[in-house]
Amino acid sequence: METTLIEKLPEVTWVGSLIKAVLILAIISALAGFGTFIERKVLAFMQRRLGPMHVGYYGLLQIAADGIKLFTKEDIIPQNANKLIFMIAPVITAATAFIALAAVPVFPDFTIPSWIPLLGDTFVPSIASDLNIGILFVLGMMAAGLYGPLLAGMSQANKWGIIGAARTAVQFLSYEVVTGLSILAPIMLVGSLSFIDFNTYQAGGIGDWLIWKQPVAFVLFLIAGFAETNRTPFDLLEHEAEVVSGYATEYSGMRWGMFFIGEYANMITVSVIASIVFLGGYDVASMFGWFFIMAKIALFFFLMLWVRAAWPHVRPDQLMWLCWKVLMPLAVVNILITALVMMV
Amino acid sequence: MYEMIAFYLFSALTIGLFIVTVMSKNVLYAMTSLAAGMVLISGFFFILGADFLGVVQLIVYVGAVMALYSFAMMFFDATRDIKEKNTSSALVFLLGGMSALVLVLMFAAPMHSDAITALYPMHKGVGNAQDVGIVLFTKYLVPFEVAAVMLLVAMIAGIILAGKKMDKSLTKDTAVDDEILVVKDKK
């Protein structure tokens, strides 16, 4: 299959990158809102309920209602909180999530038609910033995302917040190790840190997908991805039944909404990484290549909701046990076996 | 041109943030500004084209080292200011003098900039990670391995220090409960 179309692509100008950045911001923020609707609907159907039904056709306008509520709610800052840090923390979560999205291919590339004034003929790339170490950058940026919940919890002078912050530090630090180690084995096979190289490596169809060569790494990455995006079996940071709302206890209105948008953007990032690294990525040659990667990303997004409906929370000590006594040794053994097979 | 603007922007911000780290009496401010400064330092690597080192700076310092600091911060009341004890003026004098000397040397360094050449220049067409790897596994193999052994020693030591009571469960330890009960009874 011909996949050398990358060389034929026109040069990326800074205008193109800028348009791409604005597009990512606009579309992913909107998707985060839509994601809440999908989540409620999927959870409802799995629990034999209907979910939001009253606002708009089939509850579709619920997003607008939620948005109006979030934007108009009073922005309360607790009296004894460290005000500056309290206000900055949600921005850190949202910002790091979107910066991580800068290095992954999100939407198809296109050229703006020439009849549009000013911007005509500008080529908009699929990756806003095509680094040749893309995977590491995304992982690093998601690692930096831990400061959002951490600072939020520590600045709000609330004991649930402090517990949430402590859990953030423990959980994210531990599962970063598993994410890095699990994705190292595919990196060794491909011999590159660039998403485009991963894509070309698996260009030969379903049989070439890395999930068949690295099934253990795939499962480990998914589990760690759930923990890093704070999804349900591992959402101890804001586990209502134990710590009220964890790091987000004192937040309201749009500041709380920013945590939410950041979480959903991170979910999309993890889905994109999983689909490109393990499930073949996008097919540049055919017309439907981009449709397929969207479908893969949607599949992973749905999987996250499905798991939320199906699995109970784990306890903090079970979380640590799983990370350090099960997942981490498995990841190391997986790397060793991969290295041995590659050497022989 | 962009590099110039980015460099001066990052420099000003980094220095400003690190000044906050040193001068602030609040633990949270100090920690946040140190972490933000570390992020901005990785920006310098990106400007120089050393993407790999920039990302390593992000992962190691921002993701790991600073997160460990912040974990230690859990033991403080983060919302209160900390009163620092005044150290001896002799020490302040010594450290200040040394910083001033280093600053003078740094500003004087460009006089010798012609003599500075890259020992291991980047290769065109070869990735950043590959370049770093080649240098690490040829010229700097021994320091690299020694560092690895040192980290291993530190890890084992850490496990031994922390693991003395690991086989005892804190939640199932009934002796602790008894102690608490005894104290309560006395009251």
Side-chain angles (χ1 to χ4, degrees), chain A residues 85-95 148 152 251 255-256 258-259:
Chain A
I85 306 284
F86 185 85
M87 292 195 291
I88 288 176
V91 185
I92 295 177
T93 305
Y251 281 90
R255 293 194 196 284
W256 182 83
M258 263 191 268
F259 278 125

Side-chain angles (χ1 to χ4, degrees), chain A residues 30 33-34 36-37 59-68:
Chain A
F34 192 61
T36 57
F37 174 73
L60 260 176
L61 285 179
Q62 186 68 42
I63 319 160
D66 284 348
I68 292 168

Side-chain angles (χ1 to χ4, degrees), chain A residues 80-125:
Chain A
N80 288 323
N82 190 327
K83 291 189 181 55
L84 181 66
I85 306 284
F86 185 85
M87 292 195 291
I88 288 176
V91 185
I92 295 177
T93 305
T96 49
F98 282 109
I99 294 171
L101 273 169
V104 295
V106 203
F107 312 113
D109 44 18
F110 61 92
T111 311
I112 295 176
S114 50
W115 48 266
I116 293 174
L118 283 175
L119 296 174
D121 286 331
T122 312
F123 173 68
V124 180

Side-chain angles (χ1 to χ4, degrees), chain A residues 11-41:
Chain A
E11 185 131 355
V12 179
T13 54
W14 66 271
V15 184
S17 295
L18 193 73
I19 295 174
K20 183 73 198 180
V22 173
L23 270 182
I24 289 179
L25 260 180
I27 297 181
I28 301 286
S29 321
L31 270 183
F34 192 61
T36 57
F37 174 73
I38 297 283
E39 174 158 17
R40 289 166 74 175
K41 274 291 183 194

Side-chain angles (χ1 to χ4, degrees), chain B residues 166-181:
Chain B
M166 254 189 186
D167 47 339
K168 275 186 202 164
S169 167
L170 282 175
T171 44
K172 286 174 192 163
D173 192 358
T174 45
V176 180
D177 288 347
D178 291 343
E179 250 172 62
I180 295 169
L181 285 177

